Structure formats: C-alpha cells, structure tokens
Amino acid sequence: MAEGYVSAYITGIGKFLPGDPVPSSRMEEYIGSLGPRWDQLRDKVVRNSGIKTRHYAIDTEQRTLHTNATMSAHAVRDALDSADAALDRVDFLGAAASFPDLVAPGIASMVHGELGSPPCEIRSTHGTCTSGMMALKDAYAQIRLGEADCAVSCASEFTSRIMKKSRFSSVSVDSVDQKVGTELAFMRYMLSDGAGAVVLRPRPAQDRISLRVEWISLTSYANTTELCSYLGKPDNSADSPYWGDYPTVAEAAADGALLLRQELRLLPGLVRTCVGEYERLLKAGRFDPGGLRYLGAHYSSEVLRPAVWKEIERRGLPCPEPEKWFTNLHSVGNIGCASIYVILEELVREHPLEPGDQVLCFVPEAARWSISFMLLTAVAPQDGAAP
C-alpha cells in the first residue's frame, strides 16, 4: 500500500436474489413468449450460456415485486449483518444499476432513502457490468483516503422489467431479420435480477477472515470500438444512436429503440482486449498468477470461458487453470453489475479462504468495452479491530 494511505478491508458481503430459482425451461412463464419463431434462438442462447436457473423480480403475471432500490437495500442489510456493523455507522454509500428505477434521482439516493439510514455521502454510478466495480472503487477510495470509517457499495439489476413480452409489443418481432433477432434474444434469455453489497472498513474484522483490497483497476477501451451492447436505435451506425432523439417515446418504442441488444460480431474483439488488459497488469507486476487461489470471473455466457482461455494460451501467459475460475453463472444467471458481488458472496461462503489466499476478480463490460480487475488478499482476524 502506498505511504500515507490506509488499507481497505471487505469485512462483510451480502446479496439478495428475488424469489425462487427459475429453471431456464420456465423463464417464459415470467417474461412471456414471443412466439414459435423465437424458440430456436431461445434454445441456442440458453444452451450456450450454461445457465440452469435464474431469478426474476417479477411474477408470472409480469408484475413488479421488487425495485432496484429495495433489492439493493436488502443486500446492504445482509452485508452489514455479515460484518456485524450497524446501519447508523455507514458514512459512505455507493450504488450502481444499469437500468435504475428512475431516470432521476440517482440510484444511490433511492437506496439511501429505502434504507432510512442517517445522512451520509453517496455516489451513483451508471453503466452496465463494470458500474458495480465503479461503486466499489469509490467506497474503497473513501476508506483509503480516510474520508470514511464504514463504506458500503452495492449494485442491482432488474432487467426482467425491460425484457418482458409487453416491451416487445410495439415491434413486429416476426419481421425482424435474423441478425437483430439474435442480438435481442442473446440479452433477453441470458440476463437475471438481483443485488449484492459489500462493507469496507479501514481495519480487518476481529472474529472472521477479511479481504484486503490490494487494488482495483478500471480501464475503458471505448476509444477502440463502436457500441457493442446498448439500448438505443437499432442501427448504431446512424448519426445518432439515442432513443431520446425520436419525436416521442412511443415512436422510439415502435422502432425497437427501447430494446437492449448486443452486437455479437464484436465479442471476439472484446475477448482479445480483456486478455490484453490482463497481460498489461501482469507485466506491470500487479499480481502473481501462481499465488492466486481463485479467479472470480464474471462473464455472460459459458462459451466465452474457452474463448478467453484459448487467447491466454495463444499469448503464452501464465494464468490459473479454468478449474480455479469461480462463477455462479449456472445457478443465478448473469446479474450484470451485481454479478461480482454475488460471486464473491458465494465464494467466501462455500469455499472458506485461508489467510494469505488471493483472489483476482475480473469484470468485463461489453457495452463500449470497459474492463475491471480487483486483487483481494484474505487476512486473519485481528484482536482489537473495531466492530
């Protein structure tokens, strides 16, 4: 750690997964069926993703049961309980959501209001997958700078709300071409709902293993590519990709500009960029691959794991074997910016770490290519640490 800065420790991790696990065979009972033409696309996405079950914050009538704010608040309370920390001790709250409940105010305001905790500094981060890491880095920086004694970051996703059948009602789904249909299907049949949170303190816990945050790296490669996943005009090569440039919201919806899609043709380039960022950090001496107990990996589909490994092998880079790559994609689905929180919660709960064990966390964002890594070291309980 740099001189003049204090260390930051994750002393509690929490999650909230709405409802019972939904098998992939039953997901259209919740988000609705778009008709026989889409069945083949659905089956291909599910098969390639490796997802067996997922969670939705809507019911089978497609009614909202939770919000991003309530799911995040549940996760924060769970994290505080695991840290034995009181809600009134929180002096910084960072929150992320790819599709927050309201355009304004920010998601952190809504989570703070839902928690009902005393006044504190807040920060809302927006994006897609790496926005959860942005919120976490803000909390980490608050501890490192001595600005906060108890910082919390959280992230939530409620994508079923924008994937339900009614959102597609203005679009003639039977007339869309194969490319657009595949782009829409990839996102619709892969994303899930849920939230996660962590508690950070300047001291390790006195009665349990803590995770010292060695560093967090967030790097944008937006200068190297066009939009990859986005909610906007169907043709992102147009002069303006923005849904807000339509005369009315109804016209934007009718043209499919309020549907989330992913340019699948760009994903091989994202794989190469992700591995290139891993190589950059490795050559900079930021971590020792041989000392890693796990690689906590967030990715959207199981087909991407062998693609990443093949690129690592092609470059001759040392890296933990894929058996050490920890994910729970198969059981909870892709929860976007909340995924890494939920991955960490299950990792430390199901696979207890020993002092000195290191975990390298990896979060790519396809939207316009941002990549985040975080290095954690397990630290033994310390007598005299503050509760």
Side-chain angles (χ1 to χ4, degrees):
M1 294 292 177
E3 186 177 353
Y5 294 93
V6 299
S7 297
Y9 300 86
I10 295 176
T11 59
I13 312 175
K15 72 174 187 304
F16 179 77
L17 299 175
D20 295 325
V22 177
S24 291
S25 60
R26 294 186 55 215
M27 66 177 148
E28 287 186 334
E29 295 177 23
Y30 289 80
I31 60 174
S33 171
L34 298 182
R37 184 180 181 278
W38 291 73
D39 290 351
Q40 186 176 359
L41 291 173
R42 178 201 62 210
D43 294 344
K44 181 179 179 180
V45 170
V46 171
R47 181 172 61 253
N48 288 341
S49 71
I51 298 171
K52 305 300 182 185
T53 56
R54 66 195 72 211
H55 292 261
Y56 289 133
I58 58 175
D59 63 15
T60 55
E61 301 298 319
Q62 299 186 3
R63 295 173 300 199
T64 293
L65 302 177
H66 303 279
T67 66
N68 278 301
T70 58
M71 288 192 290
S72 286
H74 283 305
V76 168
R77 293 187 182 101
D78 188 39
L80 289 168
D81 286 346
S82 74
D84 290 329
L87 182 59
D88 62 7
R89 296 294 297 273
V90 176
D91 40 26
F92 176 85
L93 172 67
S98 300
F99 305 98
D101 305 311
L102 298 170
V103 175
I107 183 62
S109 294
M110 300 305 294
V111 176
H112 185 210
E114 185 69 31
L115 288 168
S117 54
C120 67
E121 184 172 346
I122 62 172
R123 192 91 74 251
S124 297
T125 60
H126 180 65
T128 55
C129 294
T130 59
S131 63
M133 288 292 284
M134 294 174 190
L136 203 162
K137 186 164 187 176
D138 278 345
Y140 160 75
Q142 290 283 320
I143 297 294
R144 292 270 280 141
L145 292 170
E147 293 286 326
D149 184 69
C150 182
V152 171
S153 72
C154 59
S156 62
E157 294 289 14
F158 190 180
T159 50
S160 65
R161 185 160 50 184
I162 64 171
M163 295 299 179
K164 57 189 178 182
K165 182 180 178 179
S166 60
R167 299 297 183 190
F168 292 74
S169 61
S170 298
V171 180
S172 177
V173 293
D174 289 328
S175 65
V176 299
D177 61 35
Q178 182 72 17
K179 174 181 177 295
V180 172
T182 302
E183 291 169 357
L184 295 174
F186 183 78
M187 306 302 281
R188 187 171 197 258
Y189 300 125
M190 177 259 294
L191 295 172
S192 307
D193 302 337
V198 298
V199 177
L200 294 103
R201 304 295 300 274
R203 301 165 295 281
Q206 59 186 354
D207 57 354
R208 72 187 73 86
I209 293 287
S210 300
L211 298 174
R212 184 173 64 232
V213 183
E214 305 293 355
W215 50 261
I216 300 174
S217 170
L218 282 156
T219 307
S220 169
Y221 286 89
N223 62 312
T224 67
T225 187
E226 57 192 289
L227 286 168
C228 184
S229 60
Y230 60 98
L231 190 153
K233 287 186 176 180
D235 180 9
N236 75 14
S237 64
D239 291 338
S240 170
Y242 309 114
W243 66 266
D245 287 336
Y246 286 83
T248 67
V249 174
E251 290 176 79
D255 197 32
L258 298 182
L259 299 176
L260 186 64
R261 54 175 49 81
Q262 181 150 306
E263 292 273 2
L264 300 177
R265 64 183 174 83
L266 298 176
L267 290 183
L270 178 61
V271 168
R272 292 190 294 271
T273 302
C274 288
V275 176
E277 177 66 4
Y278 174 91
E279 183 176 18
R280 183 185 73 83
L281 294 169
L282 175 66
K283 289 182 175 179
R286 304 297 298 276
F287 64 94
D288 173 15
L292 298 177
R293 175 78 181 276
Y294 292 104
L295 193 155
H298 165 58
Y299 48 86
S300 61
S301 180
E302 191 57 46
V303 296
L304 293 175
R305 187 201 298 236
V308 171
W309 182 250
K310 183 177 179 180
E311 180 65 14
I312 288 171
E313 286 190 315
R314 187 187 71 80
R315 298 187 186 214
L317 302 175
C319 183
E321 295 291 326
E323 305 84 68
K324 290 187 176 181
W325 296 15
F326 185 86
T327 181
N328 50 17
L329 175 71
H330 315 94
S331 59
V332 304
N334 177 0
I335 322 176
C337 67
S339 287
I340 196 62
Y341 291 80
V342 179
I343 286 170
L344 273 177
E345 191 278 336
E346 184 173 328
L347 173 61
V348 300
R349 175 169 47 83
E350 299 292 338
H351 304 275
L353 300 174
E354 299 294 331
D357 286 346
Q358 289 199 317
V359 179
L360 182 67
C361 297
F362 163 58
V363 182
E365 176 176 300
R368 196 154 183 178
W369 294 13
S370 292
I371 302 162
S372 181
F373 283 90
M374 173 173 64
L375 184 64
L376 304 173
T377 302
V379 175
Q382 294 190 11
D383 292 336

